[in-house]
Amino acid sequence: MKEIKVQTSTHPYKIMIGEKLRFNLSEVLSKKYASVLIITDSHVSKLYLKDVQNSLANEKVFTAVIPAGEQSKSIEQFYELHTKAIENGLNRNSLIIALGGGVVGDLAGFVAATYMRGIDYIQVPTTILAHDSSVGGKVAINHALGKNMIGNFYPPRAVIYDVETVHTLSKAEIRSGYAELVKEALISDVAFFEDIMAASLDEMNNERLISHLQQGIEVKARIVEEDEKESGVRKFLNFGHTLGHAIEAELGYGKMTHGEAIAIGMLFALGLSQKYYGVNLPLEELTSWMKANAYPSSLPQLNPNDLLAKMASDKKVLNDRIPMVLLKEIGKPETVEFTKEELLEELSSFLGKMVKA
Amino acid sequence: MKEIKVQTSTHPYKIMIGEKLRFNLSEVLSKKYASVLIITDSHVSKLYLKDVQNSLANEKVFTAVIPAGEQSKSIEQFYELHTKAIENGLNRNSLIIALGGGVVGDLAGFVAATYMRGIDYIQVPTTILAHDSSVGGKVAINHALGKNMIGNFYPPRAVIYDVETVHTLSKAEIRSGYAELVKEALISDVAFFEDIMAASLDEMNNERLISHLQQGIEVKARIVEEDEKESGVRKFLNFGHTLGHAIEAELGYGKMTHGEAIAIGMLFALGLSQKYYGVNLPLEELTSWMKANAYPSSLPQLNPNDLLAKMASDKKVLNDRIPMVLLKEIGKPETVEFTKEELLEELSSFLGKMVKA
């Protein structure tokens, strides 16, 4: 088992990465809780809820199962979980466990952050993608007018990552999660990047997966430690996301996985970086790796102006300029602001190639 | 003008108490904001919204007016205000101003705490009661199953208290606010308590009001500084509230003002304290002062067991025992836990006297 410590403005917490951890949850509880509410989704509940429940045999455990999928990050589901918590008599000494992917983690974390003004919660991610969202304390629900618009910065008390649970993921979900690992590699360390480029997602073993997750989480953890509330370096984690989020929104959520859209966004950001700094970056290497691992290599016709409008409405935008995270070299990210006009040509040309491809 | 500083876990802020402050809001903004959303209610908007808007002539100002009254602390109104914030293009560099009483402060503060995971907000209380709720960073909305169940600890950037605005309050609202000042006096300082007992609420001038508010807020500020998240001494602010909240809930919200219910709760807590510690406390003096100032001196028939059930379901209750804040003497509060059975006789006798009175 690998262990990573994170310091936050309110408390330190541990991230544990290993095999079979879901069978030993009670061992990692740092104190005796009055009661525990496990929040999971309709998909994960069938696979791992019993294991987690059994591992908490000495606790007073309640469960809440939400429908799987992004649409559960709604104000209605949020309120519904509060109802459940109140009806089950949860108090300030109770614990919430978020068992699932990013949707469960974001939603259950936000319920914990707001129930009686905040109770403890633990993230138990079951997807590769959630290695990213489960660390750092960003919790939220969606508003009809924007993703993750309603939320808090509220760090968990622990992240328990049982890598066995990711073996039930679809290939698209594995690609999605690995895109965030690639991002963490690109903004931090060439050796980590090469290590991923040498791997085939179809032939992943636990040892290698644990190593990649550990390195990725380490990158994320050090960044959020330095900048918990996203006023500085945390924005580097947005590499590939400015365009990626816009593509997700334009296609309609669910048409492409988050990470697959981010992967396309990274190709654009790498190309832009090469041009902006006049440097060489492993754009071709990443393109080949994505192809070899069956990432989508084309997009339907999208209007660049619509995408740019979406890019300019991101939460991180503070004026009319679009902040793009670029790379001077691998491990040297930098935020550069562009006007929509400045990005239009580059984006149009990029989209043109993606349609043809 | 009086100024009180409060240190929080994230930032320090100032509380300013004085006359005509609503005309000079722009002077207290500590930085240039991208935009400002003033949230107020249908009652206060008619009286003071124009003044506040005019004082922010150089800012990009939007306004949102919610229906006056406790029912606005709902999940629907919360979501509606987020819609308004998004539609007006508020970003992380925007500011929310809560102009009004406790309902506006709690709701607008929680919107600020959760909009894009938290933006700055300023409290501009317009009631005496709100001297209490505007300081300390407790923000929340109600759940159908309990008051203030969904919220955050999220301190404001400033509290601007223009005492002129409280002159438009009804007498019941003045009594309600003064009950919290009496509470702050009882848990802190006999001189402050005697100062209030010497005052008639019908003949209050700004100077005396400012002095009382300053002393009350000072008590509150020092306590929340020591215990922001309510794990220790902050519970002393609950003096009179355990029974008071239960009376409010049993009568149905709005039947009696918050402070008037708390005042009755304080009489019970003082009587219980005398018995528990075998001491003499100014129970008669407070009873006379309440009578002289037209506080409700009787209650309809209430079932003590129903009240006790309510008292045992408070957010602060962590086990089956009811934590009562008692006084060993004025300025010496202490939390003592009782079972329902232990409180039944004392409460029945107290209620009996209140019905006869």
Side-chain angles (χ1 to χ4, degrees):
Chain A
M1 193 186 68
K2 306 287 184 184
E3 214 176 281
I4 296 169
K5 279 196 181 176
V6 186
Q7 186 58 52
T8 76
S9 59
T10 50
H11 62 270
Y13 65 92
K14 277 186 205 164
I15 301 161
M16 283 164 243
I17 312 166
E19 295 168 321
K20 306 205 184 302
L21 301 183
R22 69 187 183 283
F23 299 110
N24 294 298
L25 272 185
S26 66
E27 283 174 28
V28 302
L29 301 190
S30 57
K31 64 178 211 182
K32 178 70 191 164
Y33 286 99
S35 56
V36 180
L37 174 63
I38 305 171
I39 297 176
T40 188
D41 72 24
S42 51
H43 177 64
V44 177
S45 65
K46 289 176 205 135
L47 299 167
Y48 307 115
L49 180 54
K50 265 276 161 288
D51 297 343
V52 172
Q53 271 180 298
N54 290 342
S55 87
L56 297 165
N58 296 323
E59 311 292 325
K60 192 172 165 186
V61 177
F62 304 97
T63 61
V65 180
I66 62 169
E70 184 78 20
Q71 77 284 357
S72 280
K73 278 175 67 176
S74 67
I75 192 90
E76 291 80 16
Q77 192 61 64
F78 170 73
Y79 192 79
E80 192 52 44
L81 287 171
H82 272 278
T83 307
K84 191 105 186 182
I86 298 171
E87 285 177 349
N88 288 328
L90 264 69
N91 66 29
R92 285 186 170 166
N93 260 342
S94 296
L95 172 75
I96 284 178
I97 292 178
L99 172 67
V103 168
V104 167
D106 285 5
L107 172 63
F110 190 45
V111 171
T114 52
Y115 185 68
M116 294 186 169
R117 299 197 181 88
I119 63 173
D120 287 359
Y121 77 110
I122 288 179
Q123 295 274 18
V124 184
T126 59
T127 66
I128 297 177
L129 187 60
H131 87 270
D132 182 36
S133 56
S134 66
V135 174
K138 274 194 183 180
V139 295
I141 55 174
N142 298 330
H143 188 284
L145 301 176
K147 272 190 84 170
N148 296 324
M149 290 302 281
I150 309 178
N152 282 147
F153 291 100
Y154 193 75
R157 290 285 157 175
V159 180
I160 313 297
Y161 210 145
D162 184 340
V163 295
E164 287 182 354
T165 63
V166 311
H167 289 303
T168 44
L169 293 175
S170 70
K171 296 208 164 166
E173 286 172 306
I174 292 172
R175 284 195 293 273
S176 182
Y178 253 88
E180 294 286 6
L181 287 167
V182 169
K183 174 200 75 179
E184 284 142 4
L186 281 172
I187 64 170
S188 70
D189 180 19
V190 66
F192 179 21
F193 177 72
E194 292 305 340
D195 200 27
I196 298 178
M197 291 302 105
S200 162
L201 300 189
D202 281 342
E203 297 155 20
M204 195 58 64
N205 61 40
N206 277 354
E207 194 186 352
R208 194 152 202 182
L209 180 60
I210 291 175
S211 161
H212 288 163
L213 288 171
Q214 186 196 5
Q215 290 178 80
I217 289 174
E218 193 76 56
V219 172
K220 171 97 186 229
R222 295 296 84 80
I223 286 179
V224 300
E225 259 183 352
E226 192 179 332
D227 176 25
E228 193 172 324
K229 305 283 171 71
E230 202 168 32
S231 51
V233 294
R234 187 159 183 168
K235 289 174 187 164
F236 295 154
L237 292 168
N238 215 34
F239 182 72
H241 283 58
T242 316
L243 177 58
H245 280 156
I247 290 173
E248 280 188 279
E250 276 295 290
L251 290 179
Y253 290 104
K255 293 282 158 52
M256 187 181 276
T257 66
H258 173 69
E260 287 171 326
I262 282 359
I264 294 174
M266 288 194 285
L267 295 181
F268 177 66
L270 281 175
L272 187 63
S273 301
Q274 291 193 139
K275 208 162 172 183
Y276 188 82
Y277 296 114
V279 295
N280 273 316
L281 292 164
L283 177 55
E284 276 182 36
E285 191 178 3
L286 179 58
T287 307
S288 306
W289 182 84
M290 280 170 56
K291 203 164 203 168
N293 286 289
Y295 280 80
S297 56
S298 68
L299 281 174
Q301 192 91 44
L302 292 173
N303 182 329
N305 284 305
D306 292 347
L307 285 171
L308 286 167
K310 285 260 171 7
M311 289 159 80
S313 70
D314 190 274
K315 277 198 292 299
K316 285 124 198 149
V317 173
L318 296 180
N319 47 45
D320 291 338
R321 299 170 73 79
I322 298 170
M324 294 287 303
V325 181
L326 300 185
L327 294 186
K328 284 178 170 170
E329 57 184 273
I330 293 184
K332 294 257 180 293
E334 194 174 64
T335 303
V336 181
E337 295 192 338
F338 294 91
T339 61
K340 286 184 206 170
E341 293 67 35
E342 287 168 339
L343 287 179
L344 182 60
E345 190 187 338
E346 189 70 17
L347 183 58
S348 300
S349 138
F350 178 79
L351 291 173
K353 279 181 233 152
M354 290 300 287
V355 172
K356 272 179 282 165
Chain B
M1 192 187 71
K2 306 287 184 184
E3 216 176 280
I4 296 170
K5 280 198 181 174
V6 186
Q7 186 58 54
T8 76
S9 60
T10 51
H11 62 272
Y13 65 93
K14 277 186 203 164
I15 302 161
M16 283 163 246
I17 314 166
E19 295 167 321
K20 308 207 183 300
L21 301 184
R22 70 187 181 282
F23 298 110
N24 295 296
L25 270 186
S26 66
E27 284 175 27
V28 304
L29 301 190
S30 58
K31 66 176 208 183
K32 179 70 191 163
Y33 285 99
S35 56
V36 179
L37 175 63
I38 305 171
I39 298 176
T40 187
D41 72 24
S42 51
H43 177 63
V44 176
S45 65
K46 289 178 202 131
L47 300 167
Y48 307 115
L49 179 54
K50 266 275 161 284
D51 297 342
V52 172
Q53 271 180 298
N54 291 340
S55 88
L56 297 166
N58 296 322
E59 310 292 326
K60 191 171 166 187
V61 177
F62 304 96
T63 60
V65 180
I66 62 168
E70 183 78 20
Q71 78 283 359
S72 279
K73 279 175 66 176
S74 67
I75 192 91
E76 291 81 13
Q77 191 61 66
F78 169 74
Y79 191 78
E80 191 54 44
L81 288 171
H82 272 276
T83 306
K84 190 106 187 180
I86 298 171
E87 286 178 347
N88 288 326
L90 265 68
N91 67 29
R92 284 187 172 166
N93 261 343
S94 297
L95 173 75
I96 285 178
I97 293 179
L99 171 67
V103 168
V104 168
D106 285 6
L107 172 63
F110 189 44
V111 171
T114 52
Y115 184 68
M116 293 186 171
R117 299 197 181 90
I119 63 173
D120 286 359
Y121 77 111
I122 288 179
Q123 295 273 16
V124 184
T126 59
T127 66
I128 298 178
L129 187 60
H131 86 271
D132 183 36
S133 56
S134 66
V135 174
K138 274 194 185 181
V139 295
I141 55 174
N142 298 329
H143 188 284
L145 301 177
K147 274 189 84 170
N148 296 324
M149 289 301 281
I150 307 179
N152 282 148
F153 292 100
Y154 192 75
R157 290 285 156 173
V159 180
I160 315 295
Y161 210 146
D162 184 341
V163 296
E164 288 182 354
T165 62
V166 310
H167 290 303
T168 43
L169 294 175
S170 71
K171 298 207 163 170
E173 286 172 306
I174 293 173
R175 284 195 292 273
S176 182
Y178 254 88
E180 294 285 4
L181 287 168
V182 169
K183 173 201 75 180
E184 284 142 5
L186 281 172
I187 64 170
S188 70
D189 178 20
V190 66
F192 179 22
F193 177 72
E194 293 303 341
D195 199 27
I196 297 179
M197 292 300 105
S200 163
L201 299 190
D202 280 341
E203 298 155 19
M204 193 59 63
N205 60 40
N206 276 355
E207 195 186 351
R208 194 154 201 180
L209 180 59
I210 291 176
S211 161
H212 288 163
L213 288 172
Q214 187 195 2
Q215 290 178 79
I217 288 174
E218 193 75 56
V219 172
K220 172 93 186 233
R222 295 297 81 84
I223 286 178
V224 300
E225 257 182 355
E226 192 178 332
D227 176 24
E228 192 173 323
K229 305 285 172 71
E230 200 169 33
S231 50
V233 294
R234 187 160 185 167
K235 289 176 187 162
F236 295 154
L237 292 167
N238 215 35
F239 181 71
H241 282 59
T242 316
L243 177 59
H245 279 156
I247 289 173
E248 278 188 282
E250 275 296 288
L251 291 180
Y253 290 102
K255 292 283 158 50
M256 186 180 276
T257 67
H258 174 68
E260 288 172 328
I262 280 5
I264 294 174
M266 289 195 284
L267 295 181
F268 177 67
L270 282 175
L272 187 63
S273 300
Q274 293 193 137
K275 209 164 170 181
Y276 187 81
Y277 296 114
V279 294
N280 273 315
L281 292 164
L283 177 53
E284 277 182 34
E285 191 179 2
L286 179 59
T287 307
S288 305
W289 180 85
M290 281 171 55
K291 202 164 204 167
N293 287 288
Y295 279 80
S297 56
S298 69
L299 281 174
Q301 193 90 46
L302 292 174
N303 182 329
N305 284 305
D306 292 347
L307 285 171
L308 287 167
K310 287 259 173 358
M311 290 160 79
S313 70
D314 189 274
K315 276 197 292 300
K316 286 124 197 150
V317 173
L318 296 180
N319 46 45
D320 291 338
R321 301 170 73 79
I322 299 171
M324 293 290 300
V325 181
L326 302 184
L327 295 185
K328 283 177 169 169
E329 58 184 273
I330 293 184
K332 294 257 180 293
E334 195 173 65
T335 303
V336 182
E337 294 191 338
F338 294 91
T339 62
K340 288 185 205 170
E341 294 66 37
E342 287 168 339
L343 287 179
L344 182 60
E345 191 187 339
E346 189 71 16
L347 182 59
S348 300
S349 137
F350 177 80
L351 291 172
K353 280 181 231 153
M354 291 299 288
V355 172
K356 272 179 280 162

